Amino acid sequence: MGVNWKAFVDQIQHYQSFVLVSHIRPDCDALGSELGMAEVLRAIGKDVRIINAHRTPLALSFLDPAGNIEVLGDSVEAEDVKADCIMILDTSAWAQLGDMGDVIRASRADKMVLDHHVGEDELGARMYKDYQSEATGHLVVQAADALNVPLTRTMATPLFAAIATDTGWFRFPSVTSDTYRTIARLIDAGVVPSEVYGDLYERDTLGRLKLRGLILSRTITEMDGALVYTSVNKEDFELCGAQPNDTEDAINLTLAIRGTQAAVIFVGQVRGGFKLSFRSRCGLDCNEVARQFGGGGHKAAAGAFLEGTLDDVQGRVLPVVRDALAAALG
């Protein structure tokens, strides 16, 4: 089922002020969707703030050159988060909202969600979801159309980044002909793909390169090469002079190994525990695997978080992945 855009527009028109929120450890789809939606809402005369629980990663700061994204506990306190409506983008899970989750629970504002992930919690919000959409950024383009807002370059750049990264630069099976038609419209609106690619992938720090080398050096294969996994400890960030967000997309490098059907990366968190990322290029459903550990996402890509040491976490996760992959491969 796609989004009921008439109901979406009717709800938008009911409010004057909005706070836009997305998930912790924000990626391009989260940030791009927020920035694009903020511009769409401002174009129809709405008052908009973007407030996240986590800071924008330095590597993605080019998406927000004006510094419009505020950070809870940094530039804004919980009692200052006031609006007629809180719009949650690119997630439908309490665990993914971090400290903003408590703010949303306590707020008397109406809530609405615009998202493309399969799983969802009861957020007390009106849900506008399309599980078939390749990125929430694409849904924001559709929202602009529903609200009769022309695309501008200010909208187009973050929305292009959202769609391009969530499709692995148009490599993933989620890409359709409509994806390319939407991208063409964003280019017509002024985005320059080569500039976005350069900002994303050709501004690496030495620390990021060293960390990726470490990640690749720890790669282990099983099941005749069908399963690949690797790991990063929290101490590795200081060792390499890297940041936690420098692991972004590292798991996709392991999928380049011939014969790989599924991949897992275990990323140690500063406050303890491990972030899990799952990828699949076969019948293995990453969302179903991640849900067993309190996470979620898509069939081809999902994530979760577990407390414990690396040995503990791998001991819990890898048997589940092995069984799921064996079943998927028949």
Side-chain angles (χ1 to χ4, degrees):
M1 293 292 291
V3 172
N4 181 338
W5 289 113
K6 183 181 184 305
F8 180 89
V9 170
D10 289 344
Q11 188 169 0
I12 290 291
Q13 291 175 340
H14 188 67
Y15 312 118
Q16 177 56 40
S17 60
F18 291 81
V19 166
L20 307 187
V21 180
S22 193
H23 55 76
I24 55 176
R25 297 181 292 272
D27 57 9
C28 276
D29 197 20
L31 299 169
S33 297
E34 289 178 311
L35 291 162
M37 179 58 73
E39 290 302 307
V40 170
L41 293 173
R42 288 177 183 131
I44 57 174
K46 306 298 184 180
D47 302 318
V48 186
R49 297 173 72 185
I50 304 173
I51 305 174
N52 287 336
H54 283 185
R55 295 177 182 175
T56 298
L58 183 60
L60 302 183
S61 60
F62 74 94
L63 293 171
D64 183 27
N68 287 321
I69 298 176
E70 302 176 80
V71 181
L72 185 68
D74 186 351
S75 54
V76 61
E77 299 302 323
E79 58 268 22
D80 299 322
V81 182
K82 298 177 181 178
D84 298 329
C85 179
I86 296 176
M87 184 186 296
I88 302 164
L89 297 114
D90 200 41
T91 184
S92 305
W94 284 119
Q96 287 293 306
L97 291 169
D99 291 342
M100 278 301 297
D102 293 334
V103 175
I104 293 168
R105 285 187 178 96
S107 176
R108 295 183 178 180
D110 287 346
K111 288 91 176 178
M112 56 196 302
V113 170
L114 185 64
D115 185 25
H116 71 136
H117 294 94
V118 176
E120 64 184 55
D121 293 334
E122 177 48 63
L123 302 181
R126 180 76 179 267
M127 295 283 183
Y128 299 96
K129 302 183 67 168
D130 185 348
Y131 310 136
Q132 302 303 314
S133 181
E134 69 280 66
T136 300
H138 192 171
L139 297 180
V140 175
V141 174
Q142 295 174 352
D145 292 341
L147 290 163
N148 295 313
V149 174
L151 297 174
T152 66
R153 180 170 183 171
T154 305
M155 300 172 194
T157 297
L159 293 174
F160 176 91
I163 298 170
T165 55
D166 249 34
T167 59
W169 280 79
F170 317 109
R171 294 181 292 116
F172 297 163
S174 57
V175 172
T176 67
S177 59
D178 193 41
T179 307
Y180 289 106
R181 282 189 287 269
T182 300
I183 291 298
R185 292 179 58 200
L186 295 173
I187 293 173
D188 289 343
V191 68
V192 181
S194 60
E195 292 181 358
V196 176
Y197 187 92
D199 284 329
L200 282 170
Y201 304 115
E202 296 174 343
R203 304 288 189 273
D204 280 351
T205 63
L206 180 60
R208 183 181 178 93
L209 289 177
K210 287 183 176 179
L211 185 68
R212 290 196 165 199
L214 189 63
I215 290 170
L216 292 176
S217 73
R218 291 177 177 162
T219 300
I220 296 172
T221 63
E222 292 187 0
M223 301 177 68
D224 295 325
L227 173 62
V228 172
Y229 64 93
T230 186
S231 62
V232 184
N233 294 309
K234 61 182 180 181
E235 296 81 10
D236 294 328
F237 299 116
E238 183 175 356
L239 176 68
C240 295
Q243 300 296 320
N245 62 282
D246 285 331
T247 61
E248 188 72 30
D249 292 332
I251 188 174
N252 294 327
L253 298 176
T254 65
L255 291 173
I257 301 172
R258 181 181 298 175
T260 300
Q261 298 298 319
V264 187
I265 186 170
F266 301 83
V267 181
Q269 302 298 291
V270 175
R271 296 181 180 178
F274 283 81
K275 176 186 175 184
L276 320 174
S277 290
F278 305 94
R279 296 291 185 273
S280 169
R281 58 169 57 172
C282 62
L284 182 145
D285 191 330
C286 292
N287 178 60
E288 286 301 317
V289 172
R291 286 180 62 186
Q292 296 184 54
F293 305 105
H298 307 283
K299 183 175 181 179
F305 171 82
L306 282 180
E307 297 281 1
T309 66
L310 179 60
D311 287 344
D312 292 338
V313 172
Q314 287 186 334
R316 294 171 60 187
V317 173
L318 290 176
V320 174
V321 175
R322 293 182 189 114
D323 289 345
L325 181 56
L329 297 179

